Amino acid sequence: MDFLKSAVASAIAKGSSFPYSLGDRVDLSDSIWTLHNATKREDGSACSIFTFEIASNKSRLPLAKNAVRKSRTLRHPGVIKVLDTIETETSIYIVTERVVPLSWHVRRRSLNEETSKWGLYMVASTLKFINGDASSVHGAVRASSVYTSESGEWKLGGFDVLSSMNDDQAVIYTYGSLVSDAARYTPPEIVKGGWDAIKRHPLTAVDSYGLAILVYEVFNGNFTGGDQVGRTTNIPPSMHQSYKRLGTANPKLRLSAAHFVEQGKKSGGFFETPLIRLTDDIDSLGLKSDAEKEQFLNELDGLSDDFPEDFFRMKVLPELLKSVEFGGGGPKVLSAILKIAPKLPQEEFNLKLTPVVVRLFGNPDRAIRVCLLDHLPVIGDRLSQKIVNDKIFPQMTSGFTDAAPVVREQTVKAVLPVVNKLSDRTINGELLKFLARTANDEQPGIRTNTTICLGKIAKNLGQGSRSKVLVAAFTRALRDPFVHARNAGLLALSATLDVFSEEDCATKVLPAICPALLDREKLIRDQANKTLDMFLQRVRKFGNTMADTALPSATSPDAPKDAARIGTSNDKSWAGWAISSFTNKIAAADGDIQPTASSIKPSEEVARSASVPHPAKSSSPAPLSQGSTLRPTAQHLGRSLSEQPTPALKAEETSDDVYDAWGAMDDDDDGWDKDEDPFNAPPAPAISAAPPKPKASPVPYDDGGEPDFAGWLAAQSKAKKPLPKGLNTSRSASATRTPTSNTMTKPKVVAPATKTNTKPKDEDVEDGWGDAWD
């Protein structure tokens, strides 16, 4: 039979004269109607069609005709909205707004308490209208007669026996018993006296009993018989007393639907909920005074997250959008809007909400901006990449420099939900520029959150600048006076360990972490130890994979022939001799060891090895020009052995010389000799003075073939550095260097000049050659 019904309905739906297309069949229990989802052919809008097959239900045809008639004439927000009615010889169709049977939700127990109260309030208010204003009796109030619309509102249907009590020939008197499953739902007085008993009792009695059954079904899921009416299982305690009076056996004592609503709306009553108050006020939001609007906005904050999303999407959202944009609703209204937003279909979100969000980001109201930033994690995924990158982020950037700290802080936090929607150019350009500013913010919380933000978006940064930016940011955070900023820096380094190369870990990160090991706060010290262990483990692991040495092996043909001789000691400790720089081969150490310098007279000539160059004879000093003074030459660290004191000194006399030598190294040797750099070699100074008069020097120490390294080093040092300004020396007496070569020209000894060169000094020669000695 069901197959035959569907076939007939489909045949009619395919007819060219039928303006609707039938879709899926919706199962309806306890009803003479078959419900189908449908669409209007003209515009494709959704609707529902109740179908009654005359041939198979002739006995109930009066009920169907009554339902059609009452549906056309009864208009109320709590009643199913009828779009059209069609009657043919074989079928009757009632076209309504798209609805779903409430019994579906009842059987699945998917209704929460807040929504259940809200729905019962709407049904009770509708019955109040039917019993009072319409002077009618519904006669079949139950879960199967209630439907939910696309907006989630509960709508009353099932008008098969709906009758006006002013009509003596009302359908309910004659055909009331033909209602589906009437035995379970009929009130006790009707069971005893028939439907004519309605005339002898209050008009509201039958529907009040049916409302009590609906309350039980909503909170318990199933109703089996009259003995369950009045039971308070799972029913909210605040509703117990009124619910029991609805279903009492004496019809004269039953509470009417109007009184049930009145008791629920009392202060502290069961219908005093934020959702119900919002429903009552939403339609007149634009007409409310400032005080009433403020009260309404406070109600929005009281809404829980389990509100009926369809109602907010279809009814509340349009009104709230108009209020926040044009009515001064403010952040409270916006918060309610953004609670609804994630539950919207994507197409509806793009159509209704995206343009509003873009416009609101341009609003100068800081409260609106903070509210938008707070909810970006909720709506960020629904916004397209183009919208975020081209329209929203350019508006967000003003928050990084806002005068209000809360705006700056929320802007930094809002980077995370939108960073995946930003282009690489925007991230590595504008975003890093603004984060560099907030990293130096005067508010410690903003500095801390910036460090956390950089740690979380590290993977989004460009590979070319990622390591450089993060090292600079995190090491700066380690020096922050705010303890939580330092802790955030350590945690960020731990989280981004894989971002850094092993070289950066060893040379940049580890040196920055070490001071935190002695931080005044134990929290920082503990975290520093953990972070240090992580980086050390990685560096050590990489170090184990490296080669033992980068030098070529001794047997390699590419090995240099003059490689330094490794020490002959077998001592492998730190005190063992590591390398000798004086000779390359053991075979070169030939000849006899000569006596010490103290046993050789200055006048004696000592035979030197052929491999050692003769010491250059010093020239006599040139006469000083008028007004010039001669600065004493600083003692060079690498003096020759012949100039050193004899080893017969006492320990007390030599102890101070050790520290003097370390000090001399610190003062004179900076590790970089500009004279040795071919790109920085200064031109040879023009010296016209006569060479200095040679001075007698003691015979140098003869090592029998071992080079006088210290003496040679001293000679080289003197040859490289020109005399201080003001001293006239011979042009050829000093070693000169060509600007394009590193080779030293051999100094020549010239006879003393008889005249002093009075030619002005070349303007290109730099001043201050002797300043280093001052």
Side-chain angles (χ1 to χ4, degrees):
M1 184 62 67
D2 291 339
F3 174 77
L4 179 61
K5 291 180 181 180
S6 299
V8 173
S10 300
I12 296 176
K14 292 179 181 178
S16 58
S17 61
F18 196 74
Y20 301 94
S21 298
L22 291 179
D24 299 334
R25 177 181 173 178
V26 180
D27 182 33
L28 274 182
S29 59
D30 304 332
S31 177
I32 65 174
W33 299 90
T34 302
L35 179 61
H36 290 269
N37 291 328
T39 56
K40 191 174 182 179
R41 289 184 177 180
E42 182 180 356
D43 55 8
S45 59
C47 61
S48 293
I49 297 180
F50 290 86
T51 304
F52 178 79
E53 301 296 336
I54 297 177
S56 58
N57 290 285
K58 286 185 179 181
S59 61
R60 295 179 176 180
L61 182 59
L63 300 181
K65 288 183 176 292
N66 183 70
V68 171
R69 185 171 60 254
K70 294 300 182 180
S71 297
R72 288 174 179 170
T73 58
L74 190 63
R75 300 292 181 180
H76 188 269
V79 172
I80 295 178
K81 183 179 181 181
V82 176
L83 305 177
D84 195 4
T85 58
I86 301 174
E87 296 186 45
T88 67
E89 295 180 355
T90 58
S91 302
I92 297 176
Y93 303 96
I94 301 177
V95 183
T96 68
E97 60 181 316
R98 178 65 64 87
V99 293
V100 173
L102 178 66
S103 55
W104 283 14
H105 303 287
V106 170
R107 286 196 295 263
R108 291 198 299 264
R109 305 291 299 275
S110 60
L111 299 171
N112 57 65
E113 182 176 328
E114 181 79 5
T115 303
S116 298
K117 289 181 178 180
W118 175 63
L120 290 172
Y121 171 75
M122 286 186 285
V123 173
S125 299
T126 304
L127 286 176
K128 174 184 175 182
F129 165 77
I130 290 175
N131 295 154
D133 297 342
S135 299
S136 300
V137 175
H138 186 280
V141 178
R142 63 193 70 171
S144 59
S145 298
V146 181
Y147 301 84
T148 59
S149 65
E150 288 185 301
S151 62
E153 297 173 279
W154 291 20
K155 300 295 186 74
L156 188 60
F159 299 144
D160 300 345
V161 292
L162 177 64
S163 301
S164 172
M165 293 296 98
N166 298 326
D167 185 5
D168 293 335
Q169 303 298 323
V171 173
I172 193 170
Y173 299 136
T174 306
Y175 299 99
S177 59
L178 295 180
V179 175
S180 299
D181 207 4
R184 273 197 300 161
Y185 295 96
T186 302
E189 68 273 14
I190 302 299
V191 174
K192 294 180 180 179
W195 288 97
D196 288 338
I198 298 176
K199 300 176 182 179
R200 299 188 297 270
H201 300 293
L203 180 148
T204 60
V206 174
D207 289 340
S208 296
Y209 189 84
L211 182 58
I213 294 175
L214 177 63
V215 171
Y216 183 86
E217 286 182 305
V218 166
F219 289 106
N220 291 277
N222 189 25
F223 179 74
T224 58
D227 59 337
Q228 291 181 329
V229 178
R231 293 184 182 179
T232 58
T233 306
N234 298 326
I235 295 176
S238 60
M239 196 181 289
H240 284 179
Q241 185 177 357
S242 299
Y243 159 69
K244 288 180 179 180
R245 291 190 59 188
L246 278 176
T248 184
N250 188 347
K252 294 182 179 180
L253 299 178
R254 286 179 194 155
L255 196 66
S256 66
H259 289 131
F260 183 69
V261 171
E262 183 181 351
Q263 290 188 2
K265 292 289 290 181
K266 287 182 179 179
S267 179
F270 47 86
F271 284 154
E272 275 293 299
T273 66
L275 183 57
I276 293 175
R277 287 193 292 266
L278 176 66
T279 304
D280 292 340
D281 297 339
I282 191 62
D283 293 332
S284 59
L285 180 60
L287 303 176
K288 291 184 178 297
S289 63
D290 292 341
E292 292 173 336
K293 187 177 294 185
E294 182 65 24
Q295 183 180 359
F296 172 79
L297 297 179
N298 292 332
E299 292 292 342
L300 290 177
D301 292 337
L303 293 177
S304 59
D305 292 335
D306 56 358
F307 55 76
E309 57 188 67
D310 293 332
F311 175 73
F312 273 71
R313 178 172 59 87
M314 300 290 293
K315 295 291 186 179
V316 179
L317 181 59
E319 296 295 330
L320 295 181
L321 289 175
K322 288 188 292 185
S323 176
V324 76
E325 281 202 273
F326 311 111
K332 291 184 178 180
V333 175
L334 183 58
S335 296
I337 292 174
L338 297 178
K339 282 183 179 181
I340 306 169
K343 302 179 180 181
L344 294 177
Q346 186 62 45
E347 294 182 1
E348 191 171 356
F349 182 93
N350 295 337
L351 181 64
K352 294 182 178 180
L353 206 58
T354 298
V356 177
V357 171
V358 172
R359 288 194 295 269
L360 289 178
F361 263 106
N363 193 315
D365 189 347
R366 286 194 176 99
I368 292 289
R369 171 63 64 87
V370 171
C371 183
L372 285 170
L373 295 175
D374 283 342
H375 288 84
L376 264 184
V378 180
I379 65 174
D381 292 339
R382 310 296 298 275
L383 297 170
S384 67
Q385 183 173 357
K386 182 175 179 60
I387 290 294
V388 172
N389 193 75
D390 297 345
K391 296 183 179 180
I392 292 181
F393 184 76
Q395 299 285 355
M396 283 179 56
T397 55
S398 62
F400 289 106
T401 58
D402 194 88
V406 65
V407 177
R408 299 199 302 272
E409 183 172 6
Q410 292 304 118
T411 305
V412 171
K413 292 180 180 180
V415 169
L416 298 180
V418 301
V419 69
N420 292 326
K421 303 292 180 72
L422 301 179
S423 64
D424 292 340
R425 182 177 181 180
T426 302
I427 294 174
N428 297 287
E430 290 183 77
L431 179 59
L432 286 184
K433 178 182 70 174
F434 287 112
L435 289 180
R437 180 170 185 144
T438 56
N440 293 313
D441 197 274
E442 60 182 6
Q443 297 292 328
I446 297 177
R447 298 196 302 268
T448 304
N449 287 328
T450 301
T451 302
I452 296 172
C453 177
L454 282 171
K456 292 186 176 182
I457 68 171
K459 301 297 183 182
N460 299 94
L461 302 180
Q463 294 183 357
S465 60
R466 178 191 301 163
S467 178
K468 181 179 179 181
V469 169
L470 295 183
V471 167
F474 296 160
T475 54
R476 176 184 297 171
L478 295 181
R479 302 189 298 270
D480 197 291
F482 187 52
V483 58
H484 297 292
R486 300 197 298 275
N487 191 49
L490 292 169
L491 292 173
L493 283 172
S494 302
T496 57
L497 174 63
D498 297 336
V499 171
F500 307 108
S501 65
E502 286 78 7
E503 183 178 356
D504 286 340
C505 293
T507 61
K508 299 178 181 179
V509 179
L510 286 174
I513 296 176
C514 288
L517 298 174
L518 297 179
D519 195 274
R520 290 173 296 178
E521 302 293 335
K522 186 177 186 299
L523 171 68
I524 304 302
R525 295 195 300 272
D526 293 344
Q527 185 59 46
N529 278 284
K530 296 177 183 178
T531 306
L532 185 72
D533 290 342
M534 294 175 63
F535 278 88
L536 279 176
Q537 184 178 1
R538 181 179 176 188
V539 171
R540 286 168 178 165
K541 183 177 180 181
F542 181 76
N544 292 334
T545 64
M546 298 176 65
D548 292 343
T549 179
L551 299 175
S553 61
T555 59
S556 173
D558 297 333
K561 296 181 180 180
D562 56 346
R565 174 172 60 87
I566 303 300
T568 58
S569 173
N570 292 327
D571 188 0
K572 301 301 181 182
S573 67
W574 67 273
W577 296 113
I579 190 168
S580 174
S581 301
F582 299 104
T583 183
N584 296 328
K585 297 181 179 179
I586 298 179
D590 56 355
D592 298 331
I593 297 178
Q594 300 297 325
T596 60
S598 60
S599 63
I600 300 176
K601 297 179 180 180
S603 60
E604 293 179 358
E605 284 292 330
V606 181
R608 299 185 61 82
S609 171
S611 64
V612 179
H614 291 278
K617 297 181 180 181
S618 60
S619 303
S620 60
L624 300 176
S625 60
Q626 186 176 1
S628 63
T629 59
L630 179 63
R631 297 181 181 178
T633 303
Q635 179 65 39
H636 199 280
L637 180 63
R639 56 191 176 183
S640 64
L641 295 177
S642 61
E643 297 173 339
Q644 296 178 358
T646 60
L649 296 176
K650 297 180 181 179
E652 293 81 355
E653 298 174 356
T654 59
S655 60
D656 293 337
D657 293 341
V658 176
Y659 299 101
D660 292 341
W662 284 104
M665 290 177 64
D666 294 338
D667 295 338
D668 295 339
D669 188 8
D670 60 357
W672 175 258
D673 190 353
K674 294 182 179 180
D675 292 337
E676 293 294 340
D677 189 353
F679 299 99
N680 294 323
I687 302 175
S688 58
K693 182 178 180 180
K695 180 170 61 175
S697 60
V699 176
Y701 174 76
D702 189 353
D703 58 356
E706 192 74 18
D708 184 9
F709 183 79
W712 175 83
L713 187 62
Q716 293 296 322
S717 176
K718 292 179 180 180
K720 287 194 299 181
K721 295 185 178 181
L723 291 175
K725 178 177 66 177
L727 294 182
N728 295 324
T729 59
S730 173
R731 179 184 300 272
S732 60
S734 64
T736 60
R737 183 191 304 273
T738 61
T740 59
S741 173
N742 286 338
T743 59
M744 299 281 292
T745 59
K746 190 173 182 180
K748 298 180 181 180
V749 179
V750 184
T754 58
K755 293 182 179 180
T756 302
N757 187 3
T758 60
K759 183 179 179 180
K761 184 183 70 170
D762 190 354
E763 294 296 329
D764 295 334
V765 178
E766 295 183 3
D767 261 356
W769 283 99
D771 294 346
W773 303 99
D774 291 340

